[in-house]
Amino acid sequence: MFGDFLFKSFSKSIGIDLGTSTTLVYVKGRKIVLYEPSVVAFGDNGNKVLAVGKEAKKMIGRTPSGLSTVRPLKEGVIADFDITAEMIKYFIEKVHIPNRFIKPSIIICVPSGVTEVEKRAVSEVAYKCGARKVFLIDETIAAAIGVGLPIFEPMGNMVLDIGGGTSEVAVISLGGIVVSELSHVAGDYINEEIVKYIKRKHNLYIGELTAEEIKLNLFTKDIEEEIRSYEIKGRDKVSGLPKIINMSLDELREALSESIRMIANIVRVALEKTPPELVADIVDKGIIMTGGGSMLIGLAELLKEEIGIPTFISPKPIYCVINGIGKIVENHKFYQRVLINLHRGV
């Protein structure tokens, strides 16, 4: 009976990877249809939405008086209910879902460490956007499904998902999370550390977008030579005038070394809490890394060095969570046991 109910609910379904930095949307039968920054721009002193997503992100750090940009999610959870609802509503309308007179069912991922109150807040936002039914799923389980791990088997699967607001490690077995650890040392935190490092070492103020661009240069793609420098523009702390500096790849790595070790530490803590039988499975299979932050230079190698377990970056790690949600949208009966259904008004 529950399966029939789900079938009707998912006859028109969408999945949302609602992230602190980016939001991705999957529509049943159409796959991933949207990838946008989780940013909203306001005018008229906060009374009018001017832009959402990519266009709003361009305005960060560049707004005059009366205009502002807001990230409505902070550290993986909703910081502003109304703005988050406006953002999701805009994204849903943008993908032009056919037959708008039929309310969709929506799946949204949440970090496994969030409270019941925070889960209900996410659910209510989706209902406010016109959903007929809302289901939640733990982010690490969605990532594991997206990677293709056998989550329903009696064996340990360890996933480390590094997003914009949170880094989360989970040990999954028999369709559930056995152990999980959550840290706020993730993409946004790393951006802040880059800003602080350059200010401290070079007396240079840089903005949020500049810090993010520097971080993207530290992703593990096409890294060939060890000596490589990056031109960084900002405002001199002493004179207040524009200034350009050059930073080497090694120095940029130094700026992130402590953050990387903090992420490695949550993996160590999770392993210490994991039952021995599941640890044996993880030693054999290794740790799977997902999320954009997993591509940071040296992170996989550091984890392997400090913990002694093989660590692998999944293919296209940014899309693992939304791909997992997409699999659920397309084959809901098979995955129904991993869904969280918070009955409205209860």
Side-chain angles (χ1 to χ4, degrees), residues 231-301:
E231 185 179 85
I232 300 173
K233 301 174 183 178
R235 176 165 55 86
D236 187 86
K237 180 181 176 181
V238 178
S239 68
L241 299 176
K243 181 180 177 181
I244 299 175
I245 65 169
N246 286 286
M247 288 183 65
S248 68
L249 178 61
D250 285 341
E251 190 175 5
L252 291 175
R253 283 173 168 167
E254 180 188 341
L256 302 187
S257 61
E258 184 59 29
S259 297
I260 290 176
R261 292 189 181 279
M262 291 169 72
I263 293 173
N265 187 58
I266 68 168
V267 177
R268 183 185 296 105
V269 172
L271 284 169
E272 290 172 353
K273 297 179 180 179
T274 302
E277 292 82 0
L278 296 182
V279 170
D281 294 334
I282 295 167
V283 170
D284 291 337
K285 298 171 63 176
I287 302 169
I288 305 299
M289 296 172 60
T290 64
S294 66
M295 295 186 288
L296 282 171
I297 292 174
L299 180 54
E301 293 79 5

Side-chain angles (χ1 to χ4, degrees), residues 170-181:
V171 177
I172 302 167
S173 178
L174 293 170
I177 294 176
V178 180
V179 174
S180 69
E181 289 293 325

Side-chain angles (χ1 to χ4, degrees), residues 24-27 30-35 95 319 322-323 326:
L24 292 85
V25 177
Y26 184 107
V27 176
R30 294 173 57 194
K31 299 188 177 181
I32 301 172
V33 295
L34 182 138
Y35 182 130
V95 300
Y319 297 97
I322 194 64
N323 283 336

Side-chain angles (χ1 to χ4, degrees), residues 21-81:
S21 299
T22 58
T23 295
L24 292 85
V25 177
Y26 184 107
V27 176
K28 186 175 183 180
R30 294 173 57 194
K31 299 188 177 181
I32 301 172
V33 295
L34 182 138
Y35 182 130
E36 296 261 4
S38 302
V39 185
V40 180
F42 287 93
D44 194 19
N45 292 312
N47 296 318
K48 181 180 180 181
V49 175
L50 293 181
V52 179
K54 294 176 182 177
E55 294 303 314
K57 184 175 180 179
K58 294 177 184 177
M59 301 180 187
I60 293 177
R62 298 185 171 98
T63 55
S65 176
L67 273 67
S68 61
T69 56
V70 177
R71 293 184 182 270
L73 289 99
K74 184 176 177 61
E75 298 179 342
V77 297
I78 293 175
D80 191 301
F81 181 93

